[in-house]
Amino acid sequence: KKLSANFKKIETQAEKLDQIFISPNRALEFITTMEEAANRNEVSQKINLAAAQNTGDGQTYKKMPIQIIVSGNFIKQLKYLADLEALKYYLNIKLLEFSAPLPAVGQNKEDASKNEIVSFISADTYWK
């Protein structure tokens, strides 16, 4: 009886935990959500998903590495990162690097880096 009562207490929390995992048939929703965050914060992004990896601990989920390259204003990128943190999905950031963009042909360094930076994010996502 005690176990059943305790489970009822955490049942809603278990449903929330289940939502942090991305279902393969909802991958487009995940990518669209990330694109909406980029558009909302006026930054551009490029997303690279790697092949799924088994976690090796008998779990029913898989870890899928993701790399995101974001360019835009520094403050807008910080807001974009805050939006990523607020996603309902679990995104475990392992590496975050900021750098000045490379100048285009015929462009000087000062014009290339004016208010714009490029960030590289390496993270893990978790899929059912």
Side-chain angles (χ1 to χ4, degrees), residues 29-61:
E29 178 184 314
F30 170 67
I31 298 299
T32 302
T33 302
M34 292 190 64
E35 288 175 349
E36 288 170 354
N39 289 337
R40 187 171 40 254
N41 292 291
E42 300 173 346
V43 296
S44 63
Q45 71 179 356
K46 180 180 178 185
I47 301 170
N48 297 315
L49 280 170
Q53 304 169 350
N54 284 329
T55 56
D57 57 3
Q59 296 294 326
T60 58
Y61 62 88

Side-chain angles (χ1 to χ4, degrees), residues 89-100:
Y89 308 108
Y90 182 53
L91 187 71
N92 185 15
I93 295 177
K94 300 184 303 183
L95 176 70
L96 174 62
E97 293 179 347
F98 293 103
S99 63

Side-chain angles (χ1 to χ4, degrees), residues 108-119:
N108 64 33
K109 278 186 175 182
E110 291 78 25
D111 288 341
S113 63
K114 193 179 279 185
N115 297 323
E116 294 258 330
I117 62 167
V118 175
S119 61

Side-chain angles (χ1 to χ4, degrees), residues 1-126:
K1 288 181 180 183
K2 187 175 182 181
L3 180 60
S4 180
N6 286 340
F7 180 73
K8 287 189 187 282
K9 288 180 186 176
I10 64 166
E11 190 171 18
T12 57
Q13 298 297 330
E15 290 172 7
K16 287 180 185 177
L17 287 174
D18 194 40
Q19 291 176 358
I20 67 171
F21 296 105
I22 305 162
S23 175
N25 57 352
R26 299 185 85 184
L28 182 60
E29 178 184 314
F30 170 67
I31 298 299
T32 302
T33 302
M34 292 190 64
E35 288 175 349
E36 288 170 354
N39 289 337
R40 187 171 40 254
N41 292 291
E42 300 173 346
V43 296
S44 63
Q45 71 179 356
K46 180 180 178 185
I47 301 170
N48 297 315
L49 280 170
Q53 304 169 350
N54 284 329
T55 56
D57 57 3
Q59 296 294 326
T60 58
Y61 62 88
K62 295 181 183 204
K63 179 170 58 169
M64 187 178 295
I66 186 172
Q67 294 178 340
I68 310 164
I69 300 170
V70 184
S71 59
N73 177 281
F74 179 71
I75 299 300
K76 291 178 180 180
Q77 285 200 38
L78 290 179
K79 291 178 181 178
Y80 168 78
L81 288 172
D83 278 1
L84 287 186
E85 183 181 22
L87 291 178
K88 66 180 179 181
Y89 308 108
Y90 182 53
L91 187 71
N92 185 15
I93 295 177
K94 300 184 303 183
L95 176 70
L96 174 62
E97 293 179 347
F98 293 103
S99 63
L102 295 174
V105 175
Q107 186 181 33
N108 64 33
K109 278 186 175 182
E110 291 78 25
D111 288 341
S113 63
K114 193 179 279 185
N115 297 323
E116 294 258 330
I117 62 167
V118 175
S119 61
F120 174 78
I121 303 167
S122 178
D124 289 327
T125 57
Y126 296 88

